[in-house]
Amino acid sequence: MAELKAELTENILPFWIHHAYDPKNGGIYGSLDNQNRGDSQENRSIVMSARHLWAYSAASNFLDTHRQLFEQDSGRHGYRDTADSIYRYIDHYDDKEFGGVYWSVEPDGKPADMRKQIYGEAFAIYGLSEYARTITQESVTADGILQRIDAFTQAVKIFNVLEKRARDWEHGGYCEALGRNWEPINDTKLSAVDIDCDKSMNTNLHVLEALSNLYRACKAFEPMIVQQQKAHVESQIQTLEQQISDMHKAPQQKLEQERPDLQEIQQRIQELQSQRQMLEQQESECEYCWQESQVQKPQHREIQLESQIQKLWQRELQLRAWLRKLRRQNPELEAQIQRLQYQESLLESQMKELRRQESGQQKFQRQQSGLALWQQKFQQEELEIRKQLKRVQHDESEQELWVQKSQQQMRDHESHLQEIREQRSNRGLELRELQRQKPERELQLESRLQQLQQRALILQKVQQQDPELDMTSQLQDIHDQESEVKSEQQALQSRKPELDSQLEDLERQELNQELQLQQLQKRVAGFELQLHQLQLQEDALKLGLEQLQQEQALLDAAEIGTQVKKALESLITVTKDHIFGADNHLKLFFNNDWTVTSDIVSFGHDIEASWLLWEAAELTGNEELQRTIRPLVIQVADTALVEGFEWSDEWGALDNEIKNGTRDKTRIWWCQAEAMVGFFNAWQLTGESRFREAVIKQWKWIKKYQKDPSGGDWFWAVSAEGTADRDKPKGGNWKTPYHNARSCMELIGRMHDMTTPSTT
């Protein structure tokens, strides 16, 4: 166990944090070479991102649950922070128009391949539901809780759309791939090494894996549902009790006048208190069931059965001694006693079954009635909030129209004011130019006038000296010029008062426009304040609606859990009936009606399916299904060991596949990881030491050949002779810490459970 703990916390998990995270775009590099260099240009599949989300969420949950096995604060909070970061990046895959998730995105988050590969949808559910399960950790903040509720809701949405669009309700199972809007497509193959098909083992196996984890998340949320309902009831009780307390401070007469509904309120308090007691009972039942489901393991069940067998054996000895005594007294009494005992045992078994069914039905009815009442209440509250939100949005739209209208008026006034200011500026320029030119022009006019007057005097003198000369026309011309000069002087004198008057008029208009503009600005400010207040109300109502929807999501967890369980049981049956072959190998590719289209044998998928299928059957609690599945998974694990596992004195390893009659002995990293869990699970089910020995041999191979001693993590592929294929990338869209980290956590947890005494 110590080696596995070190492998998990000192090699696998730190490796990807240090080398695979993209600091520029966020998320994980789409490719990582054997020099641990990330390719920031490679597109990123939902499978890769969801597997990383699962790995670090699961590590955080695992270390939190098994904290006594690890040093204090040995990384679980850092793993949770890594999961938080990856969860934020996964929002890029969300197809908000058609539902589900895209198959891949570019590094900056833009959609690359928008088809709906059901394999990818399954891993989205797997990662999101594991991330949602971290909500049970005590150190998660309030914002973190809401984020995890969102993740759970998103996983449920993908589950719902798969049930509607991808599930084959006629033949069973799930289809291989669909277009973005869930329409059929021809190119359905999962990868370059796969083929086009209607259905595949790989996709359906990982849908089963995703449903198992989603069912775990639903069970994890159930205690929170009861606590939330209880808190809501207690809040109502406190509110009503406070109202009663406030009313008792007033005189009794005034109390009766003001609150004639006092008795109704007291009756309501009693009803709510009874609801609280019922919820406390449900809470204790949920907590007991949850604890029981956490600690109850196959070996504990085996101990219980052995104890019961011992008691029955002792009882049988007592009965045999008593019968021998009676036989000696009355031989005829023996047959009668046997008949009575047989009838009594039948009656007791029938009574036990009836009591069990009655108890289960009563408990289920209580839970269903309680859930129905709370769902009805949440729906009413949601309807009321939506009505208020609609009214606020209507008022807000009207206020926005008024603001727009007032802003337009303000812009018109500002434009008019600008025109007036331009006119005033032009007039001011004219006036300043006139004031600048006036003295010079006045001097010019005065000089011109003097010249004309002197010329007129000269002409008059000449005419006096020579009366025969006619100077009348010339004098008239000079007189006309003098009149023009004087007119210009008068116009020059009158121009300034006119411009002054125009300037005063423009200043008055400007002042008037500025006053109107100020009034409009105040009006707009008032409208904007009202609009801001309405926006605050809208934000508050939206927040209330969001919280109500999150509460509804919690409440839906119980109902969703039932749906997921039914889908899981159906898929287990489909796997048993159609995917498991008579040769104890899984068939890989199928037509829509489950007609097999390939004879490839995949040893890795065989051993992986053996433990995943048993885990799913255990989760359902369906004992009949477990009895049917148990021998099948043991046979598959046994065949993988006999036909696919190569032994040596030092180590053991699982071959890859048999294709077209050719055996591929390449040791792929994920096959070795799944072999350890699958063979360990088979050892737990059978107690046969050969399975345990295979786990030990497999781990020795991994340590010696599969691990990269200098670069970290595991090589993608290693030859049967132990040579690593360094052309294969260290990480990327198909290689993540999902397989090897899960293998370590599974084995550590199972070994710890086997060494921990039973509490039941």
Side-chain angles (χ1 to χ4, degrees):
M1 187 188 295
E3 290 184 352
L4 291 171
K5 286 161 57 178
E7 180 67 16
L8 177 68
T9 60
E10 297 174 16
N11 180 28
I12 298 172
L13 293 173
F15 172 83
W16 298 92
I17 294 176
H18 295 153
H19 300 295
Y21 183 74
D22 181 358
K24 178 182 177 182
N25 298 298
I28 305 298
Y29 287 122
S31 179
L32 190 72
D33 65 19
N34 278 282
Q35 285 71 47
N36 299 335
R37 296 172 301 192
D39 184 354
S40 60
Q41 304 301 316
E42 183 75 19
N43 289 345
R44 303 165 183 187
S45 71
I46 182 60
V47 172
M48 181 194 72
S49 295
R51 284 177 170 180
H52 277 278
L53 177 63
W54 179 89
Y56 287 99
S57 300
S60 179
N61 284 328
F62 184 77
L63 268 67
D64 189 71
T65 304
H66 297 83
R67 63 182 68 184
Q68 71 276 18
L69 295 177
F70 299 86
E71 297 178 4
Q72 187 176 6
D73 294 328
S74 60
R76 63 181 181 274
H77 298 319
Y79 302 150
R80 195 173 68 210
D81 293 341
T82 302
D84 286 338
S85 176
I86 298 171
Y87 172 72
R88 289 190 290 271
Y89 187 84
I90 279 185
D91 184 62
H92 294 307
Y93 296 91
D94 186 18
D95 187 344
K96 295 177 173 56
E97 183 177 357
F98 294 103
V101 291
Y102 303 129
W103 175 238
S104 65
V105 298
E106 296 175 2
D108 61 2
K110 296 178 182 177
D113 188 342
M114 294 187 287
R115 64 176 167 160
K116 303 301 165 57
Q117 195 80 35
I118 308 307
Y119 186 92
E121 306 293 321
F123 272 101
I125 295 175
Y126 190 59
L128 289 168
S129 56
E130 187 66 29
Y131 179 71
R133 289 181 64 214
T134 61
I135 197 171
T136 58
Q137 299 179 22
E138 295 178 356
S139 56
V140 177
T141 64
D143 290 340
I145 289 175
L146 295 179
Q147 188 164 282
R148 281 150 180 81
I149 292 175
D150 288 341
F152 175 75
T153 304
Q154 190 174 359
V156 170
K157 287 180 179 178
I158 299 174
F159 164 73
N160 286 334
V161 75
L162 287 187
E163 293 299 287
K164 182 178 180 181
R165 302 285 191 176
R167 184 172 175 179
D168 183 348
W169 291 90
E170 180 181 357
H171 300 100
Y174 296 80
C175 67
E176 188 68 5
L178 296 166
R180 184 194 175 190
N181 62 350
W182 304 96
E183 81 282 3
I185 57 175
N186 294 323
D187 181 13
T188 62
K189 58 179 174 291
L190 180 62
S191 69
V193 300
D194 294 295
I195 64 174
D196 292 320
C197 61
D198 295 331
K199 295 172 183 174
S200 75
M201 171 280 303
N202 205 5
T203 290
N204 280 272
L205 176 64
H206 290 290
V207 171
L208 179 141
E209 174 188 48
L211 295 181
S212 297
N213 217 40
L214 182 57
Y215 187 59
R216 284 194 195 93
C218 292
K219 300 296 289 184
F221 274 73
E222 279 184 1
M224 298 181 63
I225 300 169
V226 177
Q227 291 175 2
Q228 185 173 346
Q229 294 172 351
K230 180 181 173 184
H232 198 76
V233 170
E234 288 178 347
S235 174
Q236 287 185 313
I237 290 175
Q238 290 176 1
T239 301
L240 293 173
E241 286 177 344
Q242 184 62 43
Q243 292 178 5
I244 293 292
S245 176
D246 294 340
M247 288 188 293
H248 276 298
K249 294 177 183 178
Q252 184 66 25
Q253 184 177 3
K254 185 176 180 181
L255 176 64
E256 293 176 354
Q257 291 176 353
E258 292 182 352
R259 297 306 300 261
D261 58 344
L262 179 59
Q263 292 182 351
E264 295 179 2
I265 293 175
Q266 291 173 337
Q267 183 178 1
R268 177 61 175 157
I269 288 178
Q270 292 176 356
E271 293 175 356
L272 290 171
Q273 287 174 340
S274 64
Q275 288 184 26
R276 177 169 60 181
Q277 292 175 356
M278 182 181 71
L279 289 170
E280 287 174 350
Q281 181 182 359
Q282 291 181 8
E283 181 181 18
S284 63
E285 290 175 352
C286 285
E287 183 66 24
Y288 173 76
C289 293
W290 176 248
Q291 292 176 356
E292 187 179 25
S293 66
Q294 292 295 303
V295 302
Q296 188 174 13
K297 300 295 179 180
Q299 64 273 18
H300 300 157
R301 179 61 175 165
E302 184 177 349
I303 293 171
Q304 289 179 340
L305 289 173
E306 288 178 355
S307 176
Q308 292 176 7
I309 290 170
Q310 185 69 20
K311 290 178 181 179
L312 289 172
W313 182 72
Q314 293 174 357
R315 178 61 175 163
E316 183 181 357
L317 291 177
Q318 293 173 358
L319 288 173
R320 287 183 182 275
W322 181 62
L323 283 172
R324 284 195 297 270
K325 182 178 178 181
L326 287 176
R327 189 183 298 115
R328 288 194 298 269
Q329 295 176 359
N330 189 351
E332 295 180 357
L333 191 61
E334 181 180 0
Q336 186 177 358
I337 289 174
Q338 289 178 350
R339 287 194 299 272
L340 290 174
Q341 286 177 339
Y342 177 71
Q343 292 176 3
E344 182 182 5
S345 63
L346 287 178
L347 289 173
E348 285 181 354
S349 62
Q350 291 175 4
M351 287 297 295
K352 286 180 180 179
E353 180 64 20
L354 288 172
R355 287 170 184 164
R356 187 185 66 79
Q357 293 179 1
E358 182 180 3
S359 175
Q361 289 175 354
Q362 290 175 352
K363 180 180 177 182
F364 180 75
Q365 288 173 354
R366 288 200 306 271
Q367 292 178 348
Q368 288 296 106
S369 61
L371 289 172
L373 289 173
W374 284 104
Q375 282 181 334
Q376 184 179 4
K377 181 175 181 59
F378 279 135
Q379 289 171 355
Q380 291 174 350
E381 291 181 3
E382 181 179 358
L383 182 61
E384 183 60 30
I385 289 177
R386 289 189 183 278
K387 287 180 179 179
Q388 295 179 19
L389 183 61
K390 188 174 181 180
R391 287 196 297 269
V392 168
Q393 288 174 338
H394 179 265
D395 294 342
E396 184 180 347
S397 62
E398 289 186 346
Q399 287 296 118
E400 286 179 348
L401 290 175
W402 278 107
V403 168
Q404 292 173 1
K405 184 177 180 181
S406 300
Q407 287 175 341
Q408 183 60 43
Q409 292 178 356
M410 188 169 65
R411 286 192 292 271
D412 293 342
H413 279 282
E414 287 176 345
S415 177
H416 190 197
L417 181 60
Q418 185 64 27
E419 291 177 0
I420 292 174
R421 285 174 176 168
E422 289 176 358
Q423 292 178 12
R424 189 179 64 134
S425 176
N426 293 335
R427 296 294 186 275
L429 289 174
E430 291 180 12
L431 181 60
R432 285 192 292 273
E433 183 65 22
L434 179 63
Q435 289 174 343
R436 186 183 66 78
Q437 295 178 358
K438 181 182 176 184
E440 181 180 355
R441 184 59 179 168
E442 285 179 343
L443 289 175
Q444 290 176 353
L445 291 174
E446 186 64 30
S447 174
R448 175 65 176 163
L449 184 61
Q450 290 177 0
Q451 290 176 359
L452 290 173
Q453 289 175 350
Q454 290 176 359
R455 184 179 176 187
L457 289 174
I458 292 172
L459 290 174
Q460 288 175 357
K461 288 180 180 180
V462 169
Q463 188 174 13
Q464 289 176 359
Q465 293 175 0
D466 189 357
E468 292 181 357
L469 290 173
D470 186 6
M471 298 295 181
T472 303
S473 60
Q474 294 177 347
L475 288 172
Q476 183 63 38
D477 183 53
I478 291 172
H479 180 70
D480 292 341
Q481 291 182 28
E482 286 179 352
S483 299
E484 290 178 0
V485 170
K486 289 179 180 180
S487 296
E488 189 174 353
Q489 285 179 332
Q490 291 176 0
L492 193 61
Q493 291 295 329
S494 63
R495 180 64 175 163
K496 184 177 182 302
E498 181 182 350
L499 289 174
D500 288 339
S501 175
Q502 291 179 3
L503 283 173
E504 290 176 359
D505 184 51
L506 289 171
E507 287 174 354
R508 284 193 299 271
Q509 292 182 32
E510 181 181 3
L511 180 61
N512 188 26
Q513 288 292 328
E514 286 178 348
L515 290 174
Q516 292 183 20
L517 186 60
Q518 290 175 1
Q519 292 175 354
L520 279 173
Q521 288 173 342
K522 290 180 180 179
R523 185 180 179 185
V524 170
F527 283 142
E528 288 177 344
L529 178 61
Q530 294 178 18
L531 182 61
H532 179 66
Q533 292 173 347
L534 288 171
Q535 288 172 343
L536 290 177
Q537 291 181 30
E538 181 181 3
D539 292 341
L541 288 170
K542 285 181 178 179
L543 179 61
L545 183 59
E546 180 180 350
Q547 292 174 345
L548 194 64
Q549 289 171 340
Q550 289 166 349
E551 292 175 356
Q552 182 68 40
L554 281 178
L555 194 61
D556 289 342
E559 182 179 354
I560 291 296
T562 302
Q563 297 176 16
V564 173
K565 180 182 177 182
K566 290 180 180 179
L568 183 58
E569 290 174 335
S570 173
L571 192 52
I572 291 172
T573 303
V574 166
T575 304
K576 171 181 69 71
D577 294 342
H578 300 295
I579 297 178
F580 275 23
D583 57 357
N584 296 328
H585 292 296
L586 274 65
K587 304 307 175 185
L588 302 192
F589 303 103
F590 308 87
N591 288 334
N592 196 49
D593 61 358
W594 293 105
T595 302
V596 179
T597 61
S598 168
D599 61 353
I600 299 172
V601 172
S602 173
F603 296 114
H605 285 115
D606 286 348
I607 195 63
E608 181 185 22
S610 71
W611 76 269
L612 284 178
L613 196 68
W614 178 247
E615 176 191 61
E618 279 196 309
L619 276 172
T620 65
N622 188 328
E623 295 181 358
E624 179 62 31
L625 191 60
Q626 292 173 22
R627 282 193 293 270
T628 305
I629 291 298
R630 191 175 190 274
L632 294 178
V633 299
I634 293 173
Q635 290 168 12
V636 170
D638 180 73
T639 303
L641 181 64
V642 172
E643 298 182 11
F645 197 74
E646 184 176 350
W647 299 76
S648 78
D649 294 337
E650 298 181 17
W651 47 259
L654 190 69
D655 291 345
N656 182 23
E657 65 181 11
I658 299 175
K659 186 175 183 179
N660 298 326
T662 302
R663 188 183 192 90
D664 180 6
K665 289 178 170 286
T666 307
R667 279 64 196 271
I668 309 299
W669 94 97
W670 68 267
C671 299
Q672 315 313 306
E674 297 300 334
M676 287 206 298
V677 184
F679 291 140
F680 196 96
N681 183 69
W683 174 56
Q684 287 182 304
L685 291 176
T686 65
E688 296 182 16
S689 60
R690 60 196 180 99
F691 289 117
R692 178 178 178 274
E693 184 66 19
V695 176
I696 296 172
K697 294 282 189 180
Q698 179 67 80
W699 175 236
K700 288 181 178 179
W701 166 274
I702 291 170
K703 289 191 297 180
K704 187 172 183 179
Y705 298 113
Q706 208 78 36
K707 284 182 59 176
D708 183 349
S710 59
D713 198 68
W714 298 7
F715 291 115
W716 180 303
V718 178
S719 70
E721 294 74 29
T723 303
D725 184 354
R726 295 181 178 272
D727 292 332
K728 293 286 188 181
K730 180 64 71 66
N733 284 317
W734 289 107
K735 188 172 184 297
T736 69
Y738 152 69
H739 286 287
N740 51 1
R742 182 173 69 177
S743 177
C744 292
M745 287 186 279
E746 281 289 333
L747 291 178
I748 294 169
R750 289 170 185 245
M751 286 189 282
H752 172 67
D753 291 340
M754 291 178 68
T755 57
T756 303
S758 174
T759 58
T760 59

